[in-house]
Coordinates of all heavy atoms in Angstrom, one line a residue:
A29 N -66.2 -99.8 -133.1 CA -65.4 -100.1 -131.9 C -64.3 -101.1 -132.2 O -63.2 -101.1 -131.6 CB -66.3 -100.6 -130.8
E30 N -64.5 -102.0 -133.2 CA -63.5 -103.0 -133.6 C -62.5 -102.3 -134.5 O -61.3 -102.6 -134.4 CB -64.2 -104.1 -134.3 CG -63.2 -105.2 -134.7 CD -63.9 -106.4 -135.4 OE1 -64.9 -106.1 -136.1 OE2 -63.3 -107.5 -135.4
L31 N -62.9 -101.4 -135.4 CA -62.0 -100.8 -136.3 C -61.1 -99.8 -135.7 O -59.9 -99.7 -136.1 CB -62.8 -100.3 -137.5 CG -62.1 -99.7 -138.7 CD1 -61.3 -100.8 -139.4 CD2 -63.1 -99.2 -139.7
A32 N -61.6 -98.9 -134.9 CA -60.9 -97.8 -134.4 C -59.5 -98.1 -133.7 O -58.5 -97.5 -134.0 CB -61.8 -97.0 -133.4
P33 N -59.4 -99.0 -132.8 CA -58.2 -99.3 -132.1 C -57.1 -99.8 -133.1 O -55.9 -99.5 -132.9 CB -58.5 -100.3 -131.0 CG -59.8 -100.9 -131.4 CD -60.5 -99.8 -132.2
V34 N -57.5 -100.5 -134.1 CA -56.5 -101.0 -135.1 C -55.9 -99.8 -135.8 O -54.7 -99.7 -136.0 CB -57.1 -102.0 -136.1 CG1 -56.1 -102.5 -137.0 CG2 -57.8 -103.1 -135.3
I35 N -56.8 -98.9 -136.3 CA -56.3 -97.8 -137.0 C -55.4 -96.9 -136.1 O -54.3 -96.4 -136.6 CB -57.5 -96.9 -137.6 CG1 -58.2 -97.8 -138.6 CG2 -57.0 -95.6 -138.2 CD1 -59.5 -97.1 -139.1
R36 N -55.8 -96.7 -134.9 CA -55.0 -95.9 -134.0 C -53.6 -96.4 -133.8 O -52.6 -95.7 -133.9 CB -55.7 -95.7 -132.6 CG -56.9 -94.7 -132.7 CD -57.4 -94.3 -131.3 NE -57.8 -95.4 -130.5 CZ -59.0 -95.8 -130.3 NH1 -60.0 -95.1 -131.0 NH2 -59.4 -96.8 -129.5
R37 N -53.5 -97.7 -133.5 CA -52.2 -98.3 -133.1 C -51.3 -98.3 -134.4 O -50.1 -98.1 -134.3 CB -52.3 -99.6 -132.4 CG -52.8 -100.8 -133.2 CD -52.6 -102.1 -132.4 NE -53.2 -103.2 -133.1 CZ -54.4 -103.7 -132.9 NH1 -55.2 -103.2 -132.0 NH2 -54.8 -104.8 -133.6
V38 N -51.8 -98.6 -135.5 CA -51.0 -98.7 -136.7 C -50.6 -97.3 -137.2 O -49.4 -97.1 -137.6 CB -51.7 -99.5 -137.9 CG1 -50.8 -99.5 -139.1 CG2 -52.1 -100.9 -137.4
A39 N -51.5 -96.4 -137.1 CA -51.1 -95.0 -137.4 C -50.0 -94.5 -136.5 O -49.1 -93.7 -136.9 CB -52.4 -94.1 -137.3
K40 N -50.1 -94.8 -135.2 CA -49.1 -94.3 -134.2 C -47.7 -94.8 -134.5 O -46.8 -94.1 -134.3 CB -49.5 -94.8 -132.8 CG -48.7 -94.3 -131.7 CD -49.2 -94.7 -130.3 CE -48.3 -94.2 -129.2 NZ -48.8 -94.6 -127.9
R41 N -47.6 -96.0 -135.1 CA -46.3 -96.5 -135.5 C -45.9 -96.2 -136.9 O -44.9 -96.7 -137.5 CB -46.2 -98.0 -135.2 CG -47.1 -98.9 -136.0 CD -47.0 -100.4 -135.5 NE -47.8 -101.3 -136.4 CZ -48.7 -102.1 -135.9 NH1 -49.0 -102.1 -134.6 NH2 -49.3 -102.9 -136.7
G42 N -46.7 -95.3 -137.5 CA -46.4 -94.9 -138.9 C -46.6 -95.9 -140.0 O -46.0 -95.8 -141.1
G43 N -47.5 -96.9 -139.7 CA -47.7 -98.0 -140.6 C -48.8 -97.7 -141.7 O -49.5 -96.8 -141.6
V44 N -48.8 -98.6 -142.7 CA -49.8 -98.6 -143.7 C -50.8 -99.7 -143.4 O -50.4 -100.9 -143.1 CB -49.1 -98.9 -145.1 CG1 -50.1 -99.0 -146.2 CG2 -48.1 -97.8 -145.4
I45 N -52.0 -99.4 -143.5 CA -53.1 -100.4 -143.4 C -53.7 -100.7 -144.7 O -54.2 -99.8 -145.4 CB -54.2 -99.8 -142.5 CG1 -53.7 -99.5 -141.1 CG2 -55.4 -100.8 -142.4 CD1 -54.7 -98.8 -140.2
V46 N -53.5 -102.0 -145.1 CA -54.1 -102.4 -146.4 C -55.3 -103.2 -146.1 O -55.3 -104.2 -145.3 CB -53.1 -103.3 -147.2 CG1 -53.7 -103.8 -148.5 CG2 -51.8 -102.5 -147.5
I47 N -56.5 -102.8 -146.7 CA -57.7 -103.5 -146.4 C -58.2 -104.1 -147.7 O -58.8 -103.4 -148.6 CB -58.8 -102.6 -145.8 CG1 -58.2 -101.8 -144.6 CG2 -60.0 -103.4 -145.4 CD1 -59.2 -100.8 -144.0
P48 N -58.0 -105.4 -147.9 CA -58.7 -106.1 -149.1 C -60.2 -106.1 -148.9 O -60.7 -106.5 -147.8 CB -58.1 -107.5 -149.1 CG -57.0 -107.5 -148.1 CD -57.3 -106.4 -147.1
A49 N -60.9 -105.6 -149.9 CA -62.4 -105.4 -149.7 C -63.1 -105.7 -151.0 O -62.6 -105.3 -152.0 CB -62.7 -104.0 -149.2
F50 N -64.2 -106.4 -150.9 CA -65.1 -106.5 -152.1 C -65.4 -105.1 -152.5 O -65.9 -104.3 -151.8 CB -66.3 -107.3 -151.7 CG -66.0 -108.7 -151.3 CD1 -66.1 -109.1 -149.9 CD2 -65.5 -109.7 -152.2 CE1 -65.8 -110.4 -149.5 CE2 -65.2 -111.0 -151.7 CZ -65.3 -111.3 -150.4
A51 N -65.3 -104.9 -153.8 CA -65.4 -103.5 -154.4 C -66.9 -103.1 -154.3 O -67.1 -101.9 -154.2 CB -65.0 -103.5 -155.8
V52 N -67.8 -104.0 -154.2 CA -69.2 -103.6 -154.1 C -69.8 -104.1 -152.8 O -69.9 -105.3 -152.6 CB -70.0 -104.3 -155.3 CG1 -71.5 -103.9 -155.2 CG2 -69.4 -103.8 -156.6
G53 N -70.1 -103.2 -152.0 CA -70.7 -103.5 -150.7 C -69.7 -103.3 -149.5 O -69.9 -102.4 -148.7
R54 N -68.6 -104.1 -149.5 CA -67.7 -104.0 -148.3 C -66.9 -102.7 -148.4 O -66.7 -102.0 -147.3 CB -66.8 -105.2 -148.3 CG -65.9 -105.3 -147.1 CD -66.8 -105.4 -145.8 NE -68.0 -106.2 -146.0 CZ -68.0 -107.5 -146.1 NH1 -66.9 -108.2 -146.0 NH2 -69.2 -108.2 -146.3
A55 N -66.4 -102.3 -149.5 CA -65.6 -101.1 -149.6 C -66.4 -99.9 -149.1 O -66.0 -99.0 -148.4 CB -65.1 -100.8 -151.0
Q56 N -67.7 -99.8 -149.5 CA -68.6 -98.7 -149.1 C -68.8 -98.7 -147.6 O -68.8 -97.6 -147.0 CB -69.9 -98.8 -149.9 CG -69.8 -98.5 -151.4 CD -69.1 -99.6 -152.2 OE1 -69.2 -100.8 -151.8 NE2 -68.5 -99.3 -153.3
G57 N -69.1 -99.9 -147.1 CA -69.3 -100.0 -145.6 C -68.0 -99.5 -144.8 O -68.1 -98.8 -143.8
L58 N -66.9 -99.9 -145.3 CA -65.6 -99.5 -144.6 C -65.4 -98.0 -144.7 O -65.1 -97.4 -143.7 CB -64.4 -100.2 -145.3 CG -64.2 -101.7 -144.9 CD1 -63.4 -102.4 -145.9 CD2 -63.6 -101.8 -143.5

């Protein structure tokens, strides 16, 4: 519920979402 609205609004304006994520654990959860 926290992630979805961010993706929707940035995608609507044609933007790029960069997510810095720990390669082990966080990347898989995302």
Side-chain angles (χ1 to χ4, degrees):
E30 184 181 24
L31 188 59
V34 182
I35 295 176
R36 286 196 297 265
R37 70 173 175 262
V38 179
K40 185 176 180 179
R41 63 185 186 235
V44 176
I45 299 174
V46 179
I47 311 180
F50 299 107
V52 179
R54 190 57 39 75
Q56 290 73 30
L58 283 160

